[in-house]
């Protein structure tokens, strides 16, 4: 497939956004990626890794801050006419009928009214929406709406179909049906679509659809690894080859999401993952029920019905507090974790308090509070922004408050916007930065 | 092949015969044309400062139509303004930084602040015809209508979901198509609701707009507002009552014939698909119109006409871009762009400096005594405004909670309240003042009551909608846990209504400030009643063409309103939102 013509070429692309609070967020840093003719490329990775940003750059909806995006060797000027896009939220105009929505892109491509009617009918036919031409989007189910989204994209007979989590807001059953239909559409020469770029949240989906899977890492977004998926189409989801591929991708993702702890200076500040107390306790509880108190991250995610990157965030949280370890991609309950689960509520809070006081980020905040008595929210937020410029400080701060409150360690008054120390952290070694 | 059920000639809806609805539509269209024609003649009439107003009842329908035409024209101008202003503010970050604060200030300037400039300028421009004065009146109504529309359009542009605008860009829509098929429809609900408010706001100063004194000139235009003021001057009670009736009829008619159908129709343009719980609103006029055949035929004709004209569009389009492309090409390079930005910035700074200089020069004749007078008057009126807001809250909060609690009551009362609220309170002022005089209350206190009339509805509306929006489950919980009535108020209704109450206060205070201008200075039955205050000071300065004092008064009022909004209301609103907002 490498011999095919180069369609899209992102060269050393960097993209930044300014958050409403003025913080500058780097969504992508120095990303290079090519898409060739007749490829299906899936972009996967944790949320906030910039995969959707890259898709928008390919579509020409945004310009990169640095680097360039080329289409067939020429830099993109405005929206890429050769591409159509399918959105996670469908993005249908509620005041347009199905047929009008499908015809949205035809005027700009100079299709005249007679030909427009044909193109609309053909596209509606391809996605199986005959009879719904005059319906309004609000009369349709989610799956039907996304069919309209696909029909709108197919109507312009695009060379490249860009899809931003196209099955993300559908129920699993509908998603599966539509997924295999997308593969059929791609394999069908009559549609004119020969290249797909899909942003996906699901490992199985990426393995099912893509010939090449690009794994992104976050903070800031960058390409971690590219994986070629040689399985022949149509793919059988229950086949051993398919499952082996899924496992391989899981392995890569886990390595991306749960980096081996660096044996660096212990004072190094690490952001605490934005997870709730109940989630971590729920994870430990679930691990207790498993033989040996262990399991692979993606298994745990499946069993608990949460998505993959949420699960790994919870695991990272539990790991930072010493309740699990993660050798390889397996999560193992530690003795401390078992002990915690055996405790009653009050004892559990005490243990959490002791653990939190040793977590470098909390330790730093406690030291600040001991010195000054109270800390204003703004001060704490500014501090977080300096240390973790790529993480939205507000939500990190909310997480700190939640854990601090749970452990009866911190007191926060939202009305005055001030933090104070509630208890002196027992058994905590005095950790003073500098 | 499917068997045909009907003979083809009967079935298609397009060839059905015209019905009653079509005849009504034709009559209405004819009426509108006739009104516009007579109004245009009025426009062209030779210039008289003061038209003689005929107080006979037979003349009233004509006057009412004149006033209505002015209001509608002003609203159309307001929409054009709102679309361009809101669009500019939402699309360019640089424009946003200038236009938003400017809107805040414009919103706080009472109509009398625009009056002298508009009247003197436009009358000078058309010295022989009535056009100047008419335009001045229309633009004065415009100044009471435009700002909230612009805000509304700006807000809905800003809150447009990104995937939708992305979808239009990917579809290759030019900005103009995106404006008409995405941005305006998405804003339609806000634009219609705010249009209703604007129309009511435009009527508020109707009497002032149509009949006012500027120095030794007495300007008067034919209309229901001037009818009312002449009736007042002559103490003609039956004529006053007739004017009130005519005004009410006009408001109800506009509400039923224009706003209700529009409100129902724009439901189609909701972005969120939740039905909102409330039963779908209905409008008998819209149902009636939907049955009409004429519009559908018209649409077919228009489509045919478009198809014909399309062949001419090509050459026109080819000619257009030559003019448009020049600047676009020039602006493509970063150097010219920076240069243009610097030039525009410099022009703005120069204009602002010039304006400030003019204002300072205008204010220069004011001595220390006048400034002290302004300050004292400002303080007095400020106290009255706060009193009016307190009084409005005292009755409108309990009433609003009571109405909002019961969906049935809300549904029946809402349209009634809407109509009552659109009635221009100043028309009732003389009657209220007369009652007060009977009871021995002076205008000093009476003005507070008049300002309540001007601001109370905003409090009521906001409380009703907030209480109606309390989730059913919260109310169920309050019932389940047997909260006593008092506890229910304290725990549920007051906190839930509080953010909306603050919003209501902001608008009510604005209305009261505006109202002070007509409430503290009332001319009726040939003699003038006034009480000390910023409002009467402004009215008096206008009547005596004391422009420095007028400018000082307006500037002070805007300053107080904007300052109070920025400092007190805004922080109160943020606090109310974070503390009591129902959306977690």
């Amino acid at each position: 497939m490498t011999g095919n013509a180069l369609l899209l070429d992102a060269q050393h692309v960097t993209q930044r956004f300014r958050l409403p609070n003025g913080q500058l967020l780097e969504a992508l840093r120095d990303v290079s990626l090519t898409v060739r003719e007749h490829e299906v490329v899936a972009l996967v990775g944790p949320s906030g890794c910039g995969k959707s940003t890259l898709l928008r750059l390919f579509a020409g909806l945004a310009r990169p801050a640095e680097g360039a995006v080329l289409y067939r060797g020429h830099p993109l000027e405005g929206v890429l006419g050769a591409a159509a896009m399918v959105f996670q939220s469908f993005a249908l105009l509620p005041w347009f009928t199905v047929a009008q929505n499908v015809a949205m892109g035809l005027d700009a491509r100079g299709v005249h009214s007679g030909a427009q009617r044909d193109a609309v009918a053909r596209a509606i036919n391809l996605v199986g929406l005959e009879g719904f031409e005059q319906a309004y989007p609000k009369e349709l189910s989610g799956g039907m709406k996304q069919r309209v989204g696909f029909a709108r994209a197919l109507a312009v007979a695009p060379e490249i179909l860009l899809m931003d989590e196209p099955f993300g807001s559908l129920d699993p059953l509908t998603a599966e049906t539509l997924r295999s239909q997308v593969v059929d559409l791609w394999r069908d020469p009559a549609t004119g679509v020969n290249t797909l770029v899909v942003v996906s949240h699901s490992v199985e989906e990426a393995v099912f659809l893509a010939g090449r899977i690009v794994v992104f890492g976050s903070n800031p977004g960058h390409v971690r690894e590219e994986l070629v998926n040689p399985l022949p189409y149509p793919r059988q989801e229950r086949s051993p080859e398919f499952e082996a591929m899924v496992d391989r991708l899981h392995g890569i993702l886990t390595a991306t999401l749960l980096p081996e702890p660096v044996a660096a200076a212990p004072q190094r500040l690490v952001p605490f993952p934005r997870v709730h107390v109940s989630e971590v306790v729920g994870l430990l509880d679930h691990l207790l029920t498993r033989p040996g108190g262990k399991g692979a991250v993606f298994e745990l995610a499946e069993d608990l019905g949460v998505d993959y990157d949420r699960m790994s965030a919870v695991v990272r949280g539990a790991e930072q507090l010493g309740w699990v370890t993660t050798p390889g991609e397996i999560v193992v309950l530690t003795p401390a974790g078992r002990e915690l689960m055996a405790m009653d509520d009050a004892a559990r809070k005490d243990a959490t308090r002791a653990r939190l006081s040793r977590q470098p980020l909390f330790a730093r905040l406690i030291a600040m509070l001991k010195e000054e008595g109270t800390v204003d929210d703004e001060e704490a937020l500014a501090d977080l922004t300096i240390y973790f410029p790529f993480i939205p400080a507000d939500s990190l701060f909310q997480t700190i408050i939640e854990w601090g409150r749970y452990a009866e360690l911190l007191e926060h008054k939202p009305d005055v916007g001030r933090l104070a120390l509630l208890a002196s952290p027992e058994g905590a070694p005095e950790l003073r930065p500098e | 092949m499917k068997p045909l059920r009907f003979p083809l000639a009967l079935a298609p809806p397009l060839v059905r015969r015209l019905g009653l609805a079509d005849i009504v539509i034709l009559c209405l269209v004819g009426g509108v044309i006739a009104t516009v024609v007579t109004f245009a003649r009025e426009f062209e009439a030779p210039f008289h400062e003061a038209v003689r107003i005929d107080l006979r009842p037979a003349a009233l329908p004509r006057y009412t139509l004149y006033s209505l035409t002015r209001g509608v024209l002003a609203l159309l101008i307001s929409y054009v303004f709102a679309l361009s202003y809101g669009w500019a503010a939402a699309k360019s970050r640089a424009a946003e930084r200038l236009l938003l604060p400017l809107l805040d200030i414009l919103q706080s300037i009472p109509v009398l602040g625009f009056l002298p400039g508009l009247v003197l300028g436009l009358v000078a421009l058309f010295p022989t015809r009535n056009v100047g004065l008419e335009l001045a009146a229309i633009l004065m109504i415009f100044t009471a209508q435009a700002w909230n529309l612009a805000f509304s359009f700006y807000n809905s542009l800003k809150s447009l979901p990104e995937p939708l605008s992305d979808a239009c860009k990917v579809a290759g829509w030019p900005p103009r198509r995106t404006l008409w098929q995405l941005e305006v429809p998405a804003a339609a609900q806000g634009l219609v609701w705010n249009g209703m408010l604007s129309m009511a706001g435009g009527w508020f100063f109707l009497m002032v707009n149509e009949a006012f004194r500027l120095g030794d000139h007495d300007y008067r235009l034919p209309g229901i507002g001037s009818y009312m003021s002449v009736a007042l001057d002559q103490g003609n009670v039956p004529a006053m009552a007739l004017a009130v009736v005519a005004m009410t009829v006009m408001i109800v008619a506009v509400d039923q014939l224009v706003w209700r159908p529009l409100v129902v129709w724009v439901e189609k343009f909701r972005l969120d698909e939740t039905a909102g719980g409330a039963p779908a609103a209905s409008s008998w006029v819209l149902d009636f119109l939907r049955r009409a055949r004429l519009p559908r035929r018209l649409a077919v004709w228009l489509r045919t006409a478009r198809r014909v004209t399309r062949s001419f569009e090509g050459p026109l389009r080819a000619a257009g871009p030559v003019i448009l492309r020049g600047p676009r090409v020039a602006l493509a390079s970063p150097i010219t762009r920076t240069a243009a930005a610097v030039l525009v910035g410099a022009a703005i700074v120069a204009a602002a400096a010039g304006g400030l200089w003019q204002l300072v020069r205008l204010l220069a004749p004011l001595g220390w005594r006048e400034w002290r007078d302004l300050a004292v008057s400002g303080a007095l009126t400020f106290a009255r405004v706060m009193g009016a807001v307190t009084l409005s809250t005292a009755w409108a909060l309990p009433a609003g909670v009571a109405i909002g609690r019961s969906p049935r009551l809300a549904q029946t009362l809402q349209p009634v309240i809407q109509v009552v609220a659109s009635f221009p309170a100043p028309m009732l002022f003389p009657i209220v003042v007369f009652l007060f005089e009977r009871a021995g209350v002076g205008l000093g206190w009476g003005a507070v009551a008049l300002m309540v009339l001007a601001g109370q509805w905003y409090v009521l509306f906001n409380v009703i909608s907030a209480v109606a929006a309390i989730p059913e489950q919260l109310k169920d919980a309050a019932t389940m846990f047997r909260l006593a009535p008092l506890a229910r108020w304290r725990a549920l209704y007051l906190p839930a209504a509080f953010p909306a109450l603050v919003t209501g206060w902001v608008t009510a205070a604005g209305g009261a400030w505006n109202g002070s201008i007509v409430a503290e200075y009332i001319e009726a039955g040939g003699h003038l009643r006034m009480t000390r205050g910023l409002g009467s000071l402004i009215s008096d300065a206008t009547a005596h063409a004391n422009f420095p004092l007028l400018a000082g008064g307006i500037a002070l009022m805007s300053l107080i309103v904007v300052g109070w909004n920025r400092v007190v209301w805004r922080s109160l609103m943020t606090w109310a939102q974070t503390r009591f907002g129902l959306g977690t």
Side-chain angles (χ1 to χ4, degrees), chain B residues 446-467:
Chain B
V448 178
L450 297 177
M451 283 148 72
V452 169
L453 281 181
Q456 57 189 353
W457 303 112
Y458 302 110
V459 179
L460 186 66
F461 274 139
N462 278 294
V463 172
I464 292 178
S465 53
V467 172

Side-chain angles (χ1 to χ4, degrees), chain A residues 123-207:
Chain A
I124 284 181
N125 202 357
L126 276 174
V127 298
L129 272 173
E130 303 94 332
F132 287 91
E133 288 86 352
Q134 298 310 315
Y136 284 98
K138 62 169 171 252
E139 302 171 271
L140 305 179
S141 68
M144 293 295 229
K145 278 182 201 155
Q146 196 55 300
R147 279 169 206 272
V148 181
F150 273 107
R152 177 171 65 185
L154 292 174
V156 300
E159 190 177 15
I160 308 166
L161 187 56
L162 305 170
M163 299 184 277
D164 190 0
E165 301 199 22
F167 315 108
S169 35
L170 304 178
D171 63 280
L173 225 57
T174 314
E176 198 163 321
T177 325
L178 263 178
R179 227 176 352 246
S180 28
Q181 283 185 335
V182 167
V183 173
D184 294 344
L185 289 171
W186 171 67
R187 284 156 52 88
D188 180 1
T191 58
V193 180
N194 67 21
T195 306
L196 304 181
V197 183
V198 56
V199 167
S200 176
H201 224 78
S202 137
V203 169
E204 283 79 8
E205 186 175 295
V207 173

Side-chain angles (χ1 to χ4, degrees), chain B residues 115-149:
Chain B
L115 186 142
L118 283 175
V119 171
L120 297 180
L122 286 167
V123 169
L125 206 58
F126 304 95
T128 55
R129 301 244 180 271
N130 246 350
V131 190
L133 203 50
E134 282 289 354
L135 279 181
I138 289 170
L139 289 179
M140 280 191 277
I141 300 177
F142 161 87
T143 61
Q145 293 177 335
W147 322 126
N148 62 326
L149 283 174

Side-chain angles (χ1 to χ4, degrees), chain B residues 354-485:
Chain B
L356 197 66
W357 171 240
Q358 285 296 326
L359 190 65
V360 168
R361 261 190 23 179
L362 195 55
L363 294 180
L366 293 185
W368 185 80
R369 263 194 38 172
E370 276 98 349
W371 280 113
R372 202 192 50 184
D373 195 30
L374 274 169
V376 173
S377 307
L380 270 172
T381 303
F382 177 80
R384 285 200 192 99
V385 168
M386 290 302 136
V389 170
T390 314
L391 276 179
S392 305
T393 312
W395 87 264
L397 180 63
V401 169
I403 297 172
R405 263 165 64 175
S406 128
R408 213 162 38 92
L409 205 58
Q411 232 191 324
T412 40
L413 282 183
Q414 193 102 2
V416 179
I417 298 174
Q418 247 162 48
V419 168
V420 175
S422 332
F423 193 88
M427 279 186 132
L428 301 176
F429 282 5
I431 301 162
V432 178
V433 169
F434 179 70
L435 288 178
F436 273 137
E437 274 173 6
R438 275 284 178 82
V441 180
L443 195 61
W445 290 101
V448 178
L450 297 177
M451 283 148 72
V452 169
L453 281 181
Q456 57 189 353
W457 303 112
Y458 302 110
V459 179
L460 186 66
F461 274 139
N462 278 294
V463 172
I464 292 178
S465 53
V467 172
I470 296 177
E472 212 45 48
Q473 295 192 350
L474 275 184
K475 288 191 230 169
D476 286 349
T479 316
M480 278 302 296
F481 296 110
R482 302 193 187 175
L483 289 192

Side-chain angles (χ1 to χ4, degrees), chain B residues 29 47 100 136 165 198 209 369 511 527:
Chain B
V29 170
F47 179 64
L100 276 194
S165 32
S198 289
N209 291 337
R369 263 194 38 172
H527 82 247

Side-chain angles (χ1 to χ4, degrees), chain B residues 273-343:
Chain B
E273 290 174 8
T274 48
S282 68
S283 154
W284 58 270
V285 176
L286 189 65
D287 292 342
F288 190 70
L289 287 181
R290 278 185 176 151
R291 247 176 282 139
R293 255 74 96 197
L294 199 63
R296 223 171 291 164
R297 270 195 202 180
L298 210 62
V300 174
W301 291 335
L302 277 179
R303 234 171 287 150
T304 323
R306 267 212 68 134
R307 216 165 292 145
V308 175
T309 53
R310 195 163 290 164
S311 47
F312 299 108
E313 272 173 25
L316 279 176
R317 206 175 295 158
V322 178
I323 305 162
L324 292 176
R325 226 172 268 156
R328 206 174 291 165
V329 170
L331 284 180
S333 109
I335 301 166
T336 45
R337 227 182 357 236
T338 321
V342 168
L343 277 178

Side-chain angles (χ1 to χ4, degrees), chain A residues 106-120:
Chain A
L106 293 173
D107 275 344
R109 284 170 171 82
V111 184
H112 282 288
S113 51
Q116 278 203 12
R117 224 167 299 141
D118 291 345
V120 169

